[in-house]
Amino acid sequence: MTAAYRTLFQSELLAIDEHSCRACRSDWSRELGGEPASILFVRRGCFGVRGRIEVVADPFSALIYDGDPGYRLRRPVDGGDAITRITPSAALMQEALGKTPIHVPVTPSIHLRHLRLYAQAGAANADRLDVEEAAVELLHAVAGLTGVPDEPRPGPARRRVAEARAFLAASPELDHRLSDVARAAGCSPFHLARIFREETGASVRAYRLRLRLAAAVDQLAEGAHDLTTLAMDTGFSHHSHMTSAFQKVLGASPSAVRESLGRSSTFLKARLRPAA
């Protein structure tokens, strides 16, 4: 289950790699570890990590790996995942993320900033200074979101919310009832609604909307042009509904987001509204 990464960008300051697969769900892997310290961002799908803590990483997570030699991975849902890995130099890692918790929830705007960096790093004419500066700014933004460090062992509430997030990430386009999500999490709808907001800072409905937006942005980055079809495929009732959600959460239309992901020369200049 170890991921094979493809290098997009490398300098003395940092490296940016990417991995993607369409694998089916899997149980916990053998014990892994020993790689250089890095930070992982999810472009698509989700995966579980069990080490000092047990978490689910999805498009609204940044996962800080500090070189811990003892961790395991699993894929809780079908469909595989797509991951961007930034490996800073030891000095940059310590300065930018040395005191952060392992798992950091990120906002929709930071997720989009990560996708812009991913597009820039993979461009044939990538400017080294632009990529390095954007990566450092992204690390700074993630560090600014950190709060109370993760507990060494997840409690029942965290495990239930992790199961709910994995259930939603498997098919965010579907209109699940709260009882469906609660059943997957192993608790009552009333209990889930409370602990989900406490853990994620968002309601179940708002979190599903973020996942739908992440799926739509991922398809735009892959070149999707028919916005009506894209809206229906990602769970929006119609094109204008999707456009409204993009404007409200990301501060830009789907067409503008697609353009910004395709025009690496302007990705550093983009300014997004605060996350919903």
Side-chain angles (χ1 to χ4, degrees):
M1 174 152 181
T2 55
Y5 284 88
R6 178 173 68 97
T7 300
L8 299 176
F9 174 87
Q10 189 162 16
S11 71
E12 293 182 357
L13 185 64
L14 56 91
I16 301 176
D17 310 303
E18 71 94 18
H19 157 79
S20 62
C21 70
R22 294 286 180 181
C24 297
R25 70 181 67 198
S26 64
D27 204 349
W28 292 107
S29 70
R30 62 180 175 82
E31 192 169 280
L32 305 169
E35 302 92 347
S38 59
I39 177 169
L40 305 179
F41 295 90
V42 181
R43 302 191 308 276
R44 169 178 54 79
C46 67
F47 62 93
V49 180
R50 176 187 286 170
R52 294 201 304 273
I53 63 169
E54 183 176 326
V55 297
V56 169
D58 62 17
F60 298 104
S61 304
L63 198 65
I64 316 294
Y65 172 64
D66 59 3
D68 181 4
Y71 71 91
R72 300 176 188 272
L73 299 175
R74 76 178 178 107
R75 292 189 175 95
V77 299
D78 291 330
D81 49 55
I83 302 164
T84 305
R85 180 179 68 183
I86 302 176
T87 305
S89 66
L92 176 58
M93 186 73 178
Q94 178 60 35
E95 183 178 5
L97 299 165
K99 296 182 179 180
T100 60
I102 295 172
H103 176 258
V104 183
V106 301
T107 63
S109 61
I110 289 180
H111 174 67
L112 186 54
R113 183 184 293 188
H114 143 237
L115 291 178
R116 289 197 174 102
L117 173 62
Y118 170 73
Q120 171 71 353
N125 60 343
D127 181 275
R128 177 168 300 199
L129 178 59
D130 280 353
V131 174
E132 289 182 337
E133 186 173 28
V136 169
E137 289 177 355
L138 179 60
L139 298 183
H140 180 74
V142 170
L145 293 173
T146 60
V148 179
D150 290 307
E151 295 296 328
R153 295 183 178 84
R158 173 169 291 176
R159 285 195 297 270
R160 289 183 176 122
V161 171
E163 291 297 331
R165 288 171 52 213
F167 179 79
L168 292 169
S171 51
E173 74 281 2
L174 298 183
D175 286 324
H176 297 300
R177 298 171 300 175
L178 183 60
S179 57
D180 298 328
V181 186
R183 191 176 301 112
C187 62
S188 71
F190 178 82
H191 186 57
L192 177 65
R194 179 176 63 81
I195 64 174
F196 195 92
R197 187 181 290 275
E198 289 176 353
E199 282 287 318
T200 68
S203 67
V204 175
R205 181 175 180 274
Y207 204 87
R208 185 186 64 181
L209 174 62
R210 293 182 182 185
L211 290 172
R212 287 178 174 178
L213 287 170
V217 169
D218 180 60
Q219 292 191 40
L220 289 172
E222 293 295 323
H225 287 282
D226 187 336
L227 297 184
T228 298
T229 300
L230 177 62
M232 300 301 291
D233 287 347
T234 52
F236 295 96
S237 55
H238 43 72
H239 174 222
S240 60
H241 179 207
M242 181 178 73
T243 298
S244 176
F246 265 72
Q247 292 283 7
K248 181 179 179 180
V249 178
L250 299 176
S253 69
S255 297
V257 169
R258 179 176 58 201
E259 182 181 12
S260 72
L261 291 174
R263 292 176 57 195
S264 58
S265 62
T266 62
F267 86 112
L268 282 173
K269 308 300 183 184
R271 293 190 177 271
L272 300 173
R273 295 176 185 171

